[in-house]
Amino acid sequence: MDNLRIDGDRLWASLMEMARIGATPKGGVCRLALTDLDRQGRDLLIAWAKAIGCTATVDRVGNVFVRREGKRPDLPAVATGSHLDTQPTGGRFDGVYGVLAGLEVLRTLHDARIETDRALEVVVWTNEEGSRFSPAMMGSGAYAGVFPLDEVEGKTDVDGKRFDAELAAIGYRGEAPVGGRNIGAYFEAHIEQGPILEAEAKTIGVVTGAQGQRWYEITVVGQEAHAGPTPMKRRKDALVGAARMIDAVNRIGLDHQPSACATVGFLQNFPNSRNTIPGRVFFTVDFRHPDDARLSSMDRALKAACAEIAAAAGLDVEIKDFWYFPPTPFAPHLVDRVREGAKAFGYPAMEIVSGAGHDAVYMARVCPTAMIFVPCADGISHNEIEDAKPADLTAGCNVLLRAMLEASRA
């Protein structure tokens, strides 16, 4: 095992071939969940997997489980994976790197004719991004029992298309039950999506856990009126109120440093007419912090600020708690596997907490879990210019290979 390495050139070639599915003019990828492009990506992965003798199983929410059998199929499998769906202006590495790094591990073992004690699995989780159907991490959340199956199947996109119908349309509404597979360990390799590893000149991020997150949907209601005849002091301008609340969101993030993040990423203004005072505004809030008590403090501050702003302006405000998961520590013994792997290969490494949500967060609820981060250029992700060095991607995959082999021993 000490001499075993993955084929970095093959990994890169696979990433570039997958990136052609949904390629954008700026060099990124738009491969939204449950579109035909999503189907093409899944089909390509399964074809590659079957070429090395693996099987593929699809569950009711479209999660794909590629399996390389071991000598002891009765033992819990060692799994890895991520997602193939992207943001509308996504990059070539977010999610897909974790899937194809897992495939490269299987290819390397196939080439070396190494038979593991435990089966190894590579998972494609459905709708991780949440950009077409919300919330994010839907497939892994359903697998972990966080989202009921009927709730997931009934989700609709902005055009009113149902999740279950779109899944069936691309041929990936499988028959396998959701959850309950015999998995004893889960690893996920991913680009960092932040600037820390690059700034610290580290190749491997040994991820100890993930930040907690709270998502909100906020509706501010005022009164529509003519922009000309209505005096300023008599207005109930929902957009002005929402703007003050958005400023409060930013202030709450700054007030809860270090480590807090606060973002308004989506806004709708009604009726959105040049000469009409806005009567209703809808926007989203994303709060993140590695300390759950601090995250709860941000929650209280948001609700107090919105109530105060609405009362002062004569507006109504509704705050919907849309999504929450607490800070998630990863399994220490698997984190050690990652740390030991980086050391064995001589890669510079550091401990890091994930600022983004990943499928590993939900998998940590059902089995021991760990993550491997590699740097991305300027920390930029969810962007068509997202980039990563082939050498770093190879390094992360080598660490994944070693960690999975160690965990696969009977």
Side-chain angles (χ1 to χ4, degrees):
M1 185 177 71
D2 290 340
N3 297 320
L4 198 60
R5 302 287 190 278
I6 64 100
D7 184 337
D9 291 338
R10 179 170 58 190
L11 172 61
W12 181 261
S14 298
L15 286 163
M16 295 305 100
E17 184 171 348
M18 186 67 77
R20 287 198 285 269
I21 301 175
T24 64
K26 293 182 181 180
V29 178
C30 178
R31 194 168 49 236
L32 299 182
L34 311 193
T35 61
D36 191 64
L37 293 172
D38 186 9
R39 176 195 62 78
Q40 291 178 42
R42 292 161 177 259
D43 288 352
L44 179 59
L45 174 77
I46 290 174
W48 281 337
K50 288 185 175 180
I52 56 170
C54 297
T55 59
T57 301
V58 183
D59 70 15
R60 283 285 300 278
V61 296
N63 296 323
V64 179
F65 299 86
V66 167
R67 184 177 176 94
R68 184 178 192 265
E69 199 57 78
K71 290 183 283 189
R72 295 282 307 276
D74 56 306
L75 295 176
V78 176
T80 188
S82 195
H83 59 98
L84 294 177
D85 66 310
T86 73
Q87 291 287 327
T89 53
R92 299 174 295 169
F93 305 100
D94 176 9
V96 64
Y97 169 60
V99 174
L100 296 187
L103 176 68
E104 179 56 34
V105 167
L106 302 191
R107 284 171 159 172
T108 299
L109 297 177
H110 175 77
D111 291 348
R113 300 183 180 181
I114 293 175
E115 189 177 10
T116 54
D117 291 328
R118 300 172 188 268
L120 302 183
E121 295 192 344
V122 177
V123 190
V124 177
W125 301 108
T126 297
N127 190 47
E128 191 273 351
E129 292 291 1
S131 56
R132 185 180 179 198
F133 299 92
S134 290
M137 296 149 51
M138 195 178 289
S140 56
Y143 180 91
V146 177
F147 307 131
L149 178 59
D150 59 349
E151 178 183 308
V152 170
E153 291 182 327
K155 291 290 185 180
T156 57
D157 65 9
V158 294
D159 297 319
K161 295 181 179 179
R162 281 177 57 108
F163 178 96
D164 53 1
E166 293 298 281
L167 187 61
I170 66 167
Y172 275 89
R173 191 179 186 190
E175 298 181 356
V178 180
R181 293 181 71 85
N182 192 17
I183 296 176
Y186 177 80
F187 295 93
E188 185 166 345
H190 211 283
I191 59 170
E192 182 197 346
Q193 300 184 283
I196 297 172
L197 293 178
E198 186 179 60
E200 297 293 329
K202 303 298 184 183
T203 304
I204 301 296
V206 181
V207 188
T208 57
Q211 290 191 110
Q213 295 188 36
R214 287 185 180 270
W215 284 13
Y216 307 86
E217 293 184 340
I218 299 181
T219 303
V220 183
V221 180
Q223 185 176 63
E224 295 162 26
H226 198 295
T230 310
M232 296 298 292
K233 291 184 178 181
R234 295 182 63 89
R235 298 183 178 199
K236 295 182 179 180
D237 191 323
L239 185 57
V240 171
R244 291 171 179 158
M245 293 174 193
I246 292 167
D247 182 63
V249 167
N250 191 67
R251 185 176 65 251
I252 290 165
L254 294 172
D255 288 346
H256 287 77
Q257 294 301 307
S259 303
C261 291
T263 306
V264 173
F266 182 88
L267 183 144
Q268 291 176 320
N269 177 52
F270 302 93
N272 212 31
S273 173
R274 289 174 182 266
N275 60 348
T276 300
I277 297 165
R280 179 164 61 93
V281 173
F282 171 87
F283 64 96
T284 63
V285 175
D286 178 326
F287 279 166
R288 306 186 187 212
H289 204 287
D291 184 321
D292 203 36
R294 299 286 282 170
L295 193 60
S296 295
S297 174
M298 295 169 71
D299 172 77
R300 293 190 296 271
L302 173 69
K303 291 170 179 174
C306 289
E308 181 180 348
I309 292 166
L315 305 169
D316 294 321
V317 62
E318 178 187 7
I319 303 176
K320 179 181 178 182
D321 294 278
F322 184 73
W323 189 39
Y324 163 71
F325 64 79
T328 303
F330 290 146
H333 69 289
L334 294 189
V335 173
D336 284 342
R337 298 285 191 208
V338 175
R339 185 181 293 107
E340 291 161 4
K343 183 178 180 181
F345 287 109
Y347 299 137
M350 65 177 288
E351 291 191 356
I352 192 169
V353 174
S354 174
H358 297 286
D359 294 305
V361 172
Y362 283 145
M363 283 303 289
R365 301 189 180 198
V366 296
C367 71
T369 295
M371 291 193 73
I372 301 163
F373 276 177
V374 296
C376 55
D378 298 321
I380 294 174
S381 185
H382 285 196
N383 189 312
E384 291 166 280
I385 67 169
E386 173 186 280
D387 199 11
K389 296 178 181 178
D392 292 338
L393 299 171
T394 297
C397 193
N398 275 328
V399 173
L400 177 65
L401 169 67
R402 185 181 177 90
M404 291 185 72
L405 278 175
E406 290 284 2
S408 70
R409 298 181 189 276

